[in-house]
Amino acid sequence: MATHEHYYVPAQSKWPIIATVGMFITMYGLGTWFIDMKAGRESHGPIFFAIGGLIVAYIMFGWFGTVIKESRAGLYSAQMDRSFRWGMSWFIFSEVMFFVAFFGALFYVRNITGPALGGEGPKGIAHMLWPNFQYVWPLLHTPDPTLFPPPKEIIDPWHLPLINTVLLVSSSVTVTIAHHALKKGHRGALKLWLALTVLLGLAFLMLQAMEYHEAYTELGLTLGSGIYGATFFMLTGFHGAHVTIGTIILFVMLMRILRGHFDAEHQFGFEAASWYWHFVDVVWVGLFVFVYVL
Amino acid sequence: MSAVIDDHGHEGHAHGPAKGLMRWVLTTNHKDIGTLYLWFSFCMFLLGGSFAMVIRAELFQPGLQIVEPAFFNQMTTMHGLVMVFGAVMPAFVGLANWMIPLMIGAPDMALPRMNNFSFWLLPAAFLLLVSTLFTPGGGPNFGWTFYAPLSTTYAPESVTYFIFAIHLMGISSIMGAINVVATILNLRAPGMTLMKMPLFVWTWLITAFLLIAVMPVLAGCVTMMLMDIHFHTSFFSAAGGGDPVLFQHVFWFFGHPEVYIMILPAFGAVSSIIPAFSRKPLFGYTSMVYATASIAFLSFIVWAHHMFVVGIPLVGELFFMYATMLIAVPTGVKVFNWVSTMWQGELTFETPMLFAVAFVILFTIGGFSGLMLAIAPADFQYQDTYFVVAHFHYVLVPGAIFGIFASAYYWLPKWTGHMYDETLGKLHFWLSFIGMNMAFFPMHFVGLAGMPRRVPDYNLQFADFNMVSSIGAFTFGATQIFFLFIVIKTIRGGPPAPAKPWDGAEGLEWTVPSPAPYHTFVTPPEVK
Ligand code: HEM
Ligand SMILES: [Cu+2]
């Protein structure tokens, strides 16, 4: 393994410490903001949050910029490339586990909590808490409707969500086509298919926003409408946040490609973006099946 | 031939450390970062320890003497959080940073800048967490397990900062773990096959996997809390169709693997130290690797042994009971191997070995009380008593903490280039050993007699044992200041350490000089 001899160990870096300060200010700001909001007080939280967010955005440009520069300067070896690959794969695995927590919560309330509150099974004694409650999923009646007013209706899976499924699944295909184009050196096709992927991502997000709007304004389906709304918005919301991040990453890749970055050998950045995109896509399929349809 | 190619011009050539404070702030060197982690961990150990002193002072006698019950709750909560996330976990990450590259012949960690980021997030997280003690509403008071709705509906305002602090710690742990995995899988010297790796590297590889698997679940858990508190969701509220028991499932799905995160690296370190001082190779290397892997696997399917009394179905009780007991099998394999390594060895008992042998004996006691707790019907009696406190302190103090002490004494010569003072080291060991047993052994008795945990006051019948506990705890606490003294003394001077100060020790880390140069294995060694 001769590649060992060129393992790049960067000299000191200012980015991590700035990132830490940025994250700290962001978290402090967000926390303060939430606390004050709940207490109905004036808050300096949003300002801190904004400052912290700007710092974080700044270091993202700076840090990733440095990495790109180093990579293009040829400082990275094949071994370095493998480190990045391992890093990205395990990062995606951690993301998967994050969603596992929410999917787990969904399965738990549907299969265990709900029936118990409805009076079924050995824990059905919980029914005496709210004797009028009948458990039917989707939860159009909550145990305590004054505290958690239930939704009037839920999102019909066969309209917007179905379209979104088509959009996202085809975007996984287009990004793969773009990847093949990159490997073959067809830059024109690469740009075209990648741009199309970004557009599909944007379209998905727009439809998702429309769906949320409809849920809040017409269906009474909100974060506060009982556990259906809670799991619905947490799962689709975090997924939407990941689509947003993925779209931004793909957009950055598009910009880099327009500047002539990447070739058949050097394309880890692009591949990482596409892995992330496939992950987001797979999560969506899970969402479509378990949140919308079933 | 240099592995360090510096294109930025700043710092010239990165062969020696930079000067001044900024060396530590900007460093990408695994040894610097390891040192930072270890010092941070020690500070947190003293801070968490001082909280424990408050607890033991209040429990010295029955009745309320020193602190308000409300503050007492904050102390128990913060003690647990600071020790788990601030003392034990970072100490092991520090050891990983220092030793893994040295043990596998790598020039540094795989992702050095991210390594720095992982570290610095921790002080930020703890600043956020600990500062809540000074806010008007007080700090978190719901126990380190922060069960909902105590931590949601009935929580102090500071719970929100607590949540964000946990997020920061989680990000730090995940990045640290990714770094460890990438380093081990990708930066091993030629010839260093997986099954030649020192066990410390193996146990850390598996620990890192556990971290990446469960820290995101903890993040999900606190995020649901955040939503329940501020955005009117009902994850943990039955009125909306959610369930407080759901909280416990999510928490313990993280929590049980977490206890193995805190012990596996200690298993690894002890598996290097015992052979070194027995002058025999480790007995059953392969079975150690498989035992570690099975423990890690089983740790995912036993979480509800913390929830035997919440009303899980009978089959659940049985499943979790037997699955938990199953863990005793690979754990027993490990203990058997350590003992067999010592069997007919040429034993000497320098400080690292003393801590390692105490580890084997006392951790096993903790394992046995764990087995008692694993018996569901018996746990109905034991749960929420001091017996549980005794159990987890026996696995964590002479387990994780002694493992860390053993490692520190074992590798201090390599880190500092000086031998520590053996007499003082032994004194540190015996005082810790006596103090810790005195503090925690009586807890078994008061626990079995029914003394509940997390109380500032108690029935008169428990008075004597509690006083003994408190005296033991004060002894243990004070002894750690003495440890600080020993370490500083070693850093500042002492007999120069040879490259390999322990004649029975094995591993690449002993092939480099002591103190280890700033950059090691720039060209990877050849492993036969
Ligand atoms: C043979 C191995 C072990 C078994 C069978 C075991 C079993 C158990 C059981 C059944 C409980 C729940 C008791 C209750 O709340 O009623 C428990 C609690 C606990 N165990 Fe273990 N355990 C083992 C090893 C460990 C290890 C290695 C650690 C950490 C290094 C550990 C740390 C803890 C902690 C921190 C708690 C208490 C959590 C809390 O409620 O605050 N255990 N253990
Ligand atoms: Cu457990």
Side-chain angles (χ1 to χ4, degrees), chain A residues 4-5 7-8 10 12-13 16 20 27 32 38 41 70 79 82-83 94 97 113 123 143-144 147 224 226-227 234, chain B residues 1 3 5 18 26 28 110 113 116 120 157 161 164 186 188 213 216 227 229 232 234-235 238-240 242-243 311 524:
Chain A
H4 272 286
E5 287 156 49
Y7 202 82
Y8 176 69
Q12 297 188 327
S13 172
T20 302
M27 296 282 178
T32 310
K38 189 167 181 184
R41 289 190 293 253
E70 287 169 357
Q79 196 184 13
R82 280 199 300 278
S83 284
S94 79
M97 290 310 291
T113 306
K123 282 174 84 182
D144 186 340
L147 261 173
I227 195 64
M234 283 300 261
Chain B
M1 209 176 306
I5 308 157
L26 305 178
T28 49
R113 274 180 292 234
N116 173 304
W120 280 106
E157 274 188 349
Y161 293 126
F164 286 114
N186 192 31
R188 294 193 313 282
M227 299 302 285
I229 295 169
H232 207 236
S234 49
F235 288 104
D243 196 338

Side-chain angles (χ1 to χ4, degrees), chain B residues 84 88 143-145 147 251-252 255-256 258-264 267 295 302-309 320-321 323-329 331-332 363-364 366-376 378-385 387-389 391-397 399-400 453-454:
Chain B
V84 168
V88 175
W144 85 277
T145 52
Y147 280 12
F251 177 82
W252 286 114
H256 189 80
E258 167 68 19
V259 307
Y260 283 97
I261 288 166
M262 294 191 282
I263 201 68
L264 292 184
F267 285 176
I295 291 177
V302 297
W303 76 89
H305 64 214
H306 297 273
M307 303 168 56
F308 282 142
V309 295
F320 286 105
M321 171 164 119
T324 304
M325 291 179 170
L326 219 53
I327 296 199
V329 177
T331 313
F363 175 80
T364 306
F368 282 143
S369 58
L371 275 176
M372 291 173 70
L373 291 166
I375 303 166
D379 183 70
F380 288 5
Q381 292 299 314
Y382 308 151
Q383 61 91 24
D384 244 338
T385 70
F387 190 78
V388 178
V389 180
H391 158 66
F392 66 73
H393 282 92
Y394 262 86
V395 283
L396 284 169
V397 179
R453 61 191 283 209
R454 292 172 173 154

Side-chain angles (χ1 to χ4, degrees), chain B residues 7-29:
Chain B
D7 67 319
H8 310 288
H10 61 79
E11 227 31 71
H13 227 56
H15 272 314
K19 297 271 170 299
L21 183 68
M22 288 322 260
R23 162 182 175 187
W24 301 102
V25 176
L26 305 178
T27 185
T28 49
N29 180 288

